[in-house]
Amino acid sequence: MSINSAMLAGVSGLVANSSALAAISDNISNVNTVGYKRSQANFQTLVSGNSRNATYAAGGVTAQTRQYVTQQGLPQSTSNTTDLAISGSGFFVVTEKPEDLQSSDARAFTRAGSFQLDNLGYLKNEAGLYLQGWLVDDQGVITTDPSDLSRLSSINVSNVGGAAEPTTRVAISANLKSSQAVSAELPGYNAATNSMAMYDAELGTGVKPDFSIQIPASDSKGGKRTLQVDFLKSNVPNQWYAEIRAVPASDVVTGAGLSNGQLKTGIVAFTPDGRLDSSATTLLDADDPVLNFGASADGAPGAGEANWATGLGIDDQEIRIDIAGGAGGLTQYDSPSIVQAVNTNGTAFGNLTNVEIDEDGFVTAIFDNGISRQIAQVAIATFANPDGLKATNGNAYRVTMESGTYSLKAAGTGGAGAIAPSTLEASTVDLSSEFTGLIITQRAYSASSKIISTADQMLEELLSIKR
């Protein structure tokens, strides 16, 4: 009966507009939710099987709610270095628990990148979902896998302890006074039996150097060590006797030919114009000016070799001492002997002070001694049809048949968007559109109710015929 069909069409209108109201309500309530994607109820007609000459029967309307997952929200800058947004396609891979993940544990995908460190050092967003990525291996290498979710792990920075880097390179810029008078002690100087390393004013031993340069260095544990280069003017023009030694001498164990902490002995020579004459300099090899230290645990050093002292318990080390380069190198001009600069790498022990994430998704730990260390890379998941993903709690999504399977990629590669650090993606909700839709939905709902009340009046008229 046409009146009945009209009433049922009105009911379908009420149901459809109720769904539209629910979608609008969700949108308005999530206007400030990071990474939220607006939903919209799309209406379609329901048509009954009417023939051309039959009485018309209303079919009504139905609503299908769709979430626009691929629509990107505006990026908003923040002051938090672990806030992340994806500029382009892709989703962060997240899990509900940080540890002991099994292949059966569900993984979700989200654009909500408001990550912070929890009490265990894991990166977790406001919904309690933990960020996944590829961790650095023992060799300092990060290996990505585009298809295996089980290769991902929760990113944790609490297991990154303090860090230290041993000194491997030294650049000296200094001048030795060319008119330096030859020391009265020079005739008694002998690098093996009466050296500058033996000098002690109180005991009256050794030969006092004319000039000394101290070099700060860090060992394999970040401990502070001191090397010293002593110079004694020779009676041969443009030549100086030189010794490199450890201060204190107890820091090293030396082999035959070295004593009192000596590491190297020889001549430093200059050209007539005051520049270093590498061909005549014997203190260090001109092509490979390296000091080699054996580990504390090594056996007795050979002749002319040195190990770190056993009590230090530190690793072997190579330190390249550049006296021909640097800012100016070692020179001999007729001006006061002075050290312009001693530049070294290596750092003492440092503590974790900050965590930074770059556009490629590399998570880097920053230490207060200047060292930075990569610890992981954030994985980005892409889908053939992101709008087919199923929404779940926490502003996240699950894989469905419509979305297709995921593909894991590094940020900025293979169609995956770049990561924007210290940025959050805003909700895609436009309040002006939602309030306009709210008014329209309210009127449509009222109109559908009028259909039902009108059909009810007509049925009442029909029933009154019998009276």
Side-chain angles (χ1 to χ4, degrees), residues 97-103 105 107 122 154:
K97 65 178 185 178
E99 300 174 334
D100 302 322
L101 291 172
Q102 306 296 325
S103 57
D105 291 326
R107 271 73 169 179
Y122 290 99
S154 301

Side-chain angles (χ1 to χ4, degrees), residues 387-445:
D387 284 331
L389 291 167
K390 179 182 178 181
T392 63
N393 288 337
N395 200 14
Y397 303 91
R398 305 280 189 198
V399 177
T400 66
M401 292 291 292
E402 290 77 14
S403 69
T405 189
Y406 58 85
S407 178
L408 299 178
K409 300 170 184 175
T413 65
I419 289 178
S422 298
T423 305
L424 291 176
E425 181 180 350
S427 169
T428 58
V429 174
D430 180 1
L431 279 180
S432 60
S433 298
E434 299 304 325
F435 283 128
T436 301
L438 192 62
I439 295 171
I440 294 172
T441 301
Q442 180 185 15
R443 295 303 183 189
Y445 189 90

Side-chain angles (χ1 to χ4, degrees), residues 12 15-17 19-20 41-44 61-65:
S12 70
V15 173
N17 283 287
S19 296
N42 296 320
F43 294 89
Q44 60 182 7
V61 66
T62 185
Q64 295 291 332
T65 304

Side-chain angles (χ1 to χ4, degrees), residues 165-170 218 290 317-321 344-346:
E165 292 288 343
T167 297
T168 59
R169 188 179 183 92
V170 176
S218 297
V290 173
Q317 190 169 355
E318 289 186 358
I319 301 179
R320 181 184 180 89
I321 299 182
T344 67
N345 66 351

Side-chain angles (χ1 to χ4, degrees), residues 9 25 27 93 183 203 225 289 356 423 428:
S25 300
N27 292 341
V93 184
S183 172
L203 297 177
R225 306 294 160 201
E356 295 182 353
T423 305
T428 58

Side-chain angles (χ1 to χ4, degrees), residues 172-178 180 210-214 231 240 270 328-342:
I172 297 176
S173 177
N175 181 68
L176 300 178
K177 186 177 181 179
S178 62
Q180 172 75 39
D210 291 325
F211 187 67
S212 298
I213 300 174
Q214 285 200 337
F231 299 92
W240 298 67
F270 298 91
L330 199 58
T331 60
Q332 181 195 242
Y333 297 123
D334 195 12
S335 59
S337 295
I338 190 171
V339 178
Q340 278 91 18
V342 176

Side-chain angles (χ1 to χ4, degrees), residues 41 60 63 74 81 177 207 239 353 368 403 409 437 450:
L74 293 174
T81 58
K177 186 177 181 179
V207 176
Q239 286 192 3
T353 58
D368 59 9
S403 69
K409 300 170 184 175
K450 289 296 183 182

